[in-house]
Every structure is written in C-alpha cells, then in structure tokens.
Amino acid sequence: MKNALIALLGSTMLAAPAFAQDAEAGSENPASQATYGGQSGPDMSLEAMTPEDEAVNVGLSGQDPANIARYLLASGAGSVSISPDGEMLAFRWDVTGQPQLWRLPVSGGQPQQLTFGNGITFFSWSPDSETLIYGADNDGNEQESYYRIAADGSSEALVLAAVEGGFRSFGDFGADGERIAFASTERNGQDFDIYTADLSTGETTRLYEGTFGFFAHDISPDGTRLIVSETVGEDSDNLYLLDIESREITTLAKPDPRANHTNGGFAWLPDSSGFYFASNEDSEFSAITRYDVASGEMSVVKEADYDLGGIKLCGEAGSYMVYTENVDGFDTLHIDQNGKSASLDLSFLPEGQYQASCSMESSTLAIRASGWRTPGDVYVMDLETGEHSRVFASNYAGLDPNRLIRPESVRMMARDGVELQGLLYLPDESSRTEDGPPPVIFFVHGGPTGQSVASFDPVVQYHLDRGLAVFEPNVRGSTGFGRTYVTLDDQKKRRDSVRDLIDMLAALEEDGRVDTSRAAVVGGSYGGYMVNAVLALYPDAFDAGASLFGVGNWVTALQVASPGLKASDRIEYGDIREQEWVDYYTENSPVTLADQIKVPVLYSHGVQDPRIDIYETEIMVKTLRENGIETPYVRIPDEGHGWRKLKNQLFYFRRQAEFLEEQLMGDTDAE
C-alpha cells in the first residue's frame, strides 16, 4: 500500500499540547483546508474578538504585580529524551513562540534548535542516535505528517506525508532504525489500525485492522513483537502483543471490570523476554507489573497506595528501574537497582512532576522537573555515582521564582459520602489588595479523566499575584485517586461530578480562607463543558464563567467527535448511535438548560479544532446572547484544541484575566 500515506494530510492525539512543523510544509498541505471531526466551520455572523497584531505590553522586570505576559513568557523544557548512546538530550521548547525540537549534550552547554516554523507534535530518537523522527500538523488540526531529521539538524526529509482521514498516533522505532510502528485511521477515517512503515522507501504495511481505538506502543529490542492497546473508555484499555512477522495478535489483558495498562509506559527487558508496565487490574492503584513472554504470566513486582508509573529500565542490562509515585498531584521519583532501592539522594529535585529518560548503553539518567515553581528544568544524573547537575534551567522572564505560590492538597466530603480532592492556591500577603478572604477561581481540568497536578501554570500564578485565590478541583472521574473513583462519573452519573463543584465550593466556604461569595469557574475542553453545566444546573453558585472549547450539545458533540475521542466516548458517555443516549443528552446537554444561566460567560474556540466542533461553543454564545446574558467570545482562526501559539496565548489570557477581575473585583486594569 504505497503511500496512501503520501497523499494528503496528517494528525496527532491530544493530552499534552501537540504542535506543527515548518510554515512551507504546512501552507502547501491540503489538511489546512480540511474539516475533520465534523468541523462545521465558524459562524462569521457572530460578533467575536479575534487575535490581531498588536503591541504586546510585557511590563518591566521586577514590577509588582507582574504583567501577565511575563508569566506566559516564562518557559522551560518540555518532554525530554536521551539518545540511545547516552550522549545527547532532545527536548521540546517553545521559547520561540512555537514548540520546537532542540538538542543539548548531556554534559550541558548551549542548546541547539533543530526545527523551525510552526512547531512539532512529538519526537523520537532512532536506535543509532543519528536521527530523530518528529510529527507536524497544521494549526492544531491534528492531521500529522512525519519527518526525519539528522541529530545535528543538518538535513531533514518528509518520510510520511499526511493522508486524508489519517489521524495518527506514533508508536516506536524498530531495532534497525528504518522501520516505525504507528496507528492511523487512514483506512476509513474512523477506526485506528496498526501499521509499520519503511522510512527509506515510504512503504507502509497494515499489520492489524482495528475497530475504534487500537494503538501501537513499544517494539521489542529484537524487533519481533509490538505492544498494542485497545481503548476502553477514557481511563482504561485492553492489552495485546502483536507478532510483527506473522501478524498474529495475543490477548494479554482484557479485564472486566475495565483497567488501565498503558498510562505508566512500557519497558522491555533487553533480551526481549518480557516487559514492565503499570496496571490497576485487580487493585485500586496502578502497580508495576512484569509480563513474561515465554510463560504468558504476569506478576506484580511493586505496589503502593498511589499510582506508580513513568517506568524506565536504565544502565547495562537494565539493572536500574526508575519510576514515579503520584501523591495527590505531587510526584515522588524512585530509583531501584536489581529490585532494591539504589539509595540515591534525589533531594536536589524541585517539587512537582517528573519525567525521566535513560539508555541501556549508559548509566546517565535525564530528569525533567516541572513544578509549581519550575516551568521545566532538566537534570542529568550518573546512576552509579549519584553525581548530578542541572543542564537546563527554566527562564523566568524577569519573574521572582520565590514569589510563586505552592498549592496545598485539600480533601473534603461530597454530600453522598465520596471523598473529593483538590489543590488550593492562596495569594501571599504581599499580593492581597483588600482585607478579608480573597475571591476564588475554580480551574476545572479536562479529560474528564485528567488530574490537576502541581505543575507550573502561568495563568494561575498570575491571578495569585493579583490577589485572587485559585482552586483546582479533582472531581469524581479524575485519575490519581483509585480505579473506582475514575468510574464514578460514567454515563448517567455525569451530573454527580458537576455537583461535586458545588460541594467543594461549600467546603471552601466553611474553611473560610477564600470568599466563596465571589467565585468564578473556568475550564477547557471537558472542563469547558463543566463550566456550562454547573452554571446551568446551579445558577446561584458562581458569579462568572469562562468556557474554552467546551461542549454545549452532547448529541452533536458525540456524533461528530474526532476518531481519537470516538474510540473511548461510547463507554465514558454512552453510545450515541443508540436512541436511549440521544434522548438522554437531548434532555441533559448544557444548551438545553442554558435558559437557567444568569451570569456573564466568556467563550473561546479554535476554528481548526477537530476534537470539539466550534459549533459547540457558538450555539452557547447564540443562546445566551438571545437571553440577554453578557457573552464575550474569542474566536481564533489558526488554533485547534487549545492555544499552542504564544501570540494567541498573549491575546486570549489577557482578555480572560480582564474579564474575571472585572466580574470578581470590579477591576478592569489586568495587565
């Protein structure tokens, strides 16, 4: 099947924001004109604000409170990966205004930018450390092309052009460095199949024909087997092993009730005899599990009262295992040697979230730290000696990192006895602008199976500097709090999670540290739906809302969802192909209940969004405006599901800050 893949467009999945390649490739790609995920196009008759070229006021270094641009300009390294030979680091960095691929020697020095233009979506080292592969889409439309670039940036080539209907998800390099595995919907535009591609010829081979969501993961070191998962709802999956030569697929795990086997990553043993992964099958929290290829047996090797994940095997023969433990959104990094703690001092790491990368050809470990005070530092550590150094430091854009605020994990009970959790940020005394408790903004995560964690959030820290409190709720349905908790919002239990916001607001009122009589709610994607829903179902609870690219009508949203979402939506929300669910969501969608919304709401959406159709926002804007509700609307032509470009972030978040401060404090001088 010679390039069906060299035909038209390209894609990427969501999660952490994905980004796009150079302007020339993007401008000539037909995907820029395509409408995937049921995208209806914007209603240009609706009055909307659109980002314009404007002078950007960044304020002065040391200014208090700091300009919001300073927070948005503060940056650090994104995902980091060490080369297989252990000599070079590759990482994503958006200091140019677009996420690009950079490299840096493990010994430190001057970072070198490898890609230019509109940005990248992912990257991966080839086994010989000489090249990398990366993905690129067009303005967030998630239709990817794949490119190969020399490790020194001296040459690059398009290796898989985008294909019409081809939403892609990268898997892994084969051992020879000339073959990759990936999943794509190019066969019918809806179902993810498993493919390999020969990078030297562009030839692609479909190994497995899937239904809904089948995804490629890690290839065994001997190149014979590929780990494959099948999406089961937003939080779970079935696990398979695919023989690349015979194309026979073996079921490893298909539990009922469902479980997660992929979030913690995979780590093959160097002799291909088995691999490690994290699973919450038969337990509340994900435990490190080993699969043995010869016997077909699985065994739990390490478990805790919290989710374990981020598994890496490092050093000669993979004698070191590195993994994380997620405690209420704060990571603990663990390093074992031959099954026992390596007793290495990790106190140098700033508090927050950790992502590790290593090689079996070297004892060098790279650690990316992102925390409430750390946009993205990179450390290099010798696993044998414990010696370490910071090779990449965050750029604070003139902000004082000592002024950044640490969140507190707080727990409270819902009215039905379910324990809820969230992260509470309180402005320090120097930021308070008035006596008494500060107003509070609820920032609701997406997913719905996401989790609010202690990572760097420039918008949150800006509001704190202006004297507002921020609360990040992990309502039922969030990950990180057990296998049962994540299922408590499934299908017709969805409103229970909306109600959690009200119970959390009541708990904070009783706590007394924030002024819940002045409260706003903000969220993007699924969080945008939560904003719409809570304002409609509980119209007296919040004083304002900001809904970013959220769902207004579940019927249309589920019917036209992108393939990546349809793979899981039927279990999380119900199968919209059945009349029962059409009837249910016709009655229970925010737009149906919108007549009850009586506070101002700021809406925003990217025109290229393939995940949630722009119609979902615009139907809410029209309905509320017809009802006489103040409804400013920001429409961004060159974005998809989220704001990836700095220029758009600067435009939007300044307007959001102005809007929220005006509603909660009567101020309009946010800057």
Side-chain angles (χ1 to χ4, degrees), residues 440-478:
V440 62
I441 305 172
F442 275 44
F443 278 85
V444 187
H445 67 67
T449 55
Q451 181 186 4
S452 294
V453 298
S455 58
F456 182 72
D457 189 322
V459 178
V460 166
Q461 294 293 338
Y462 169 78
H463 286 304
L464 293 164
D465 197 17
R466 301 278 296 180
L468 287 84
V470 171
F471 181 65
E472 296 183 335
N474 284 308
V475 298
R476 70 190 70 197
S478 303

Side-chain angles (χ1 to χ4, degrees), residues 122 152 189 196 296 347 356 372 418 423 435 438 449 499 571 629 632 665:
F122 76 89
D152 62 2
T196 57
S347 61
W372 53 272
V418 173
L423 298 177
D435 295 333
T449 55
R499 190 187 64 214
I571 292 172
I629 302 299
M665 304 174 75

Side-chain angles (χ1 to χ4, degrees), residues 76-99:
S79 55
V80 64
S81 179
I82 197 168
S83 59
D85 62 11
E87 297 297 322
M88 192 69 62
L89 301 174
F91 61 97
R92 195 163 58 193
W93 190 19
D94 61 1
V95 67
T96 63
Q98 304 283 358

Side-chain angles (χ1 to χ4, degrees), residues 385-404:
T385 66
E387 294 181 359
H388 63 270
S389 63
R390 186 175 65 176
V391 297
F392 183 91
S394 299
N395 178 356
Y396 288 94
L399 298 175
D400 179 359
N402 293 317
R403 290 288 311 281
L404 300 176

Side-chain angles (χ1 to χ4, degrees), residues 125-183:
W125 282 102
S126 64
D128 63 4
S129 303
E130 295 296 321
T131 62
L132 302 99
I133 194 167
Y134 70 88
D137 70 359
N138 291 286
D139 292 335
N141 70 354
E142 302 186 14
Q143 308 292 301
E144 281 176 327
S145 296
Y146 287 175
Y147 298 80
R148 197 173 194 179
I149 188 168
D152 62 2
S154 61
S155 62
E156 65 184 316
L158 172 66
V159 293
L160 286 181
V163 175
E164 185 171 7
F167 286 75
R168 290 177 178 153
S169 178
F170 183 75
D172 196 14
F173 262 104
D176 62 2
E178 291 301 322
R179 180 166 59 173
I180 60 170
F182 63 99

